[in-house]
Amino acid sequence: MLNLQLKYKPYTLDCRGHELKIGERTYIMGILNVTPDSFSDGGDHNDVQAAVEHALQMIGEGADVIDVGGESTRPGFAEVRAEEELKRVIPVIKALVEHPDINVPISIDTYKAEVARAALEAGAHMVNDVWGLQREPEIAKVAAVYNAPVIAMHNQSGTDYDIDIVMSMIAFFENSIRIAKAAGLPDTHIFLDPGIGFGKTAEQNIEVMGRLTELHCLGYPILLGTSRKSMIGKILDLPPKERVEGTVATNVIGVVQGMEIIRVHDVLEHVRAIKVTDAIVRRR
């Protein structure tokens, strides 16, 4: 049975008309990169038809949320201008929200306030910010105006930490939470993400994975994104598309430590694995 010191009770999250019952089961967020250069699937779905088909496949496999990203955040990535990011994501978001067979929340993966605003205007339901609302704090105000939940991910430039890494992450999140609440976002609309693979070495990622429960002190639900990350590749010595089993292992470890959402490329395998994990760790 899941026996963690969570500081929030199960609640129903209103995702701009879509409901997620946080605390009852683990939700699966399917990754939809509409980029030419993402580390694992760059170029696979970067036209509207291919993106919609992949979203439908992931939903058919059991995805609860689709996360649309238009800028690669792989190591060594080149930033793209907002105009280019908008060209990539807005037609896809519009096609997804207008599709009669797509009835799940759509998340926009961006740290740019301008892109978040346009995506929410186009019908997106959540904002997933890889810079924890701190690169462009205006993004929190945009989310509040549209009554959209936000996911604030831990990130930093470089991998040096002056203090214990988890304590440093907690301090980072406290700042993200201040930004979100100052913008008018309610507690129920704030999610945290430990940022596996961002601003951390492989060894630091492994340490954080073993200490995820410590982040519950902040009192907010947590999303975990480990899918196909280099940490797994270094352990298994395998390329990104052959890291499915390793990714499943990390997400099972995450669910045992109280993660509420997992963000993945390989949906079907995770739906099956997490259903079993939930049956064991979330028994009432």
Side-chain angles (χ1 to χ4, degrees), residues 28 58 61-63 266-276:
I28 310 291
M58 290 192 290
E61 292 174 346
D266 304 289
V267 171
L268 181 61
E269 295 86 347
H270 281 90
V271 167
R272 292 173 175 172
I274 300 309
K275 186 174 182 179
V276 173

Side-chain angles (χ1 to χ4, degrees), residues 164-167 207-215 257:
D164 173 79
I165 188 169
V166 175
M167 294 304 297
E207 179 179 356
V208 171
M209 280 297 305
R211 299 175 61 188
L212 292 172
T213 55
E214 296 176 42
L215 299 177
Q257 295 185 78

Side-chain angles (χ1 to χ4, degrees), residues 9-262:
K9 296 180 180 179
Y11 66 94
T12 299
L13 173 68
D14 180 5
C15 263
R16 306 190 72 203
H18 292 273
E19 290 188 351
L20 300 180
K21 295 186 180 299
I22 304 302
E24 291 191 1
R25 68 177 180 88
T26 306
Y27 285 93
I28 310 291
M29 174 183 277
I31 298 169
L32 182 58
N33 287 321
V34 289
T35 59
D37 56 346
S38 290
F39 80 98
S40 138
D41 56 356
D44 288 356
H45 318 113
N46 61 339
D47 68 72
V48 174
Q49 182 177 349
V52 171
E53 289 176 357
H54 188 55
L56 286 167
Q57 177 187 340
M58 290 192 290
I59 292 166
E61 292 174 346
D64 302 295
V65 183
I66 300 296
D67 191 39
V68 179
E71 178 176 343
S72 172
T73 52
R74 76 189 194 288
F77 76 97
E79 293 187 5
V80 301
R81 295 173 61 86
E83 293 82 1
E84 176 62 26
E85 191 175 347
L86 288 166
K87 288 179 183 177
R88 296 176 182 179
V89 300
I90 298 305
V92 172
I93 290 171
K94 287 181 176 179
L96 294 177
V97 299
E98 293 171 2
H99 198 286
D101 296 325
I102 295 179
N103 190 33
V104 300
I106 306 301
S107 170
I108 176 62
D109 179 359
T110 188
Y111 57 84
K112 300 183 182 78
E114 178 183 350
V115 174
R117 181 181 292 107
L120 293 169
E121 186 65 30
H125 307 95
M126 304 174 69
V127 175
N128 182 12
D129 183 352
V130 299
W131 280 101
L133 313 178
Q134 297 185 38
R135 181 75 175 267
E136 293 188 17
E138 180 69 21
I139 198 169
K141 296 179 182 178
V142 170
V145 166
Y146 286 88
N147 196 32
V150 298
I151 300 159
M153 193 191 82
H154 173 265
N155 204 344
Q156 70 168 38
S157 298
T159 59
D160 293 331
Y161 291 84
D162 295 332
I163 60 174
D164 173 79
I165 188 169
V166 175
M167 294 304 297
S168 180
M169 292 170 65
I170 288 170
F172 176 95
F173 284 134
E174 287 173 340
N175 190 32
S176 295
I177 293 163
R178 281 193 293 269
I179 292 168
K181 292 174 74 69
L185 284 162
D187 285 332
T188 54
H189 276 40
I190 301 171
F191 288 74
L192 308 178
D193 176 348
I196 299 299
F198 291 81
K200 303 170 189 68
T201 65
E203 286 301 319
Q204 289 168 338
N205 286 318
I206 291 170
E207 179 179 356
V208 171
M209 280 297 305
R211 299 175 61 188
L212 292 172
T213 55
E214 296 176 42
L215 299 177
H216 291 302
C217 70
L218 292 160
Y220 293 88
I222 303 173
L223 175 148
L224 181 65
T226 63
S227 192
R228 303 180 180 177
K229 295 285 178 72
S230 61
M231 169 189 72
I232 300 165
K234 288 182 179 180
I235 294 171
L236 298 177
D237 191 24
L238 290 172
K241 290 187 178 181
E242 295 182 28
R243 299 172 186 170
V244 180
E245 298 90 346
T247 301
V248 170
T250 60
N251 282 312
V252 168
I253 290 168
V255 172
V256 170
Q257 295 185 78
M259 305 297 99
E260 299 287 4
I261 304 174
I262 58 170

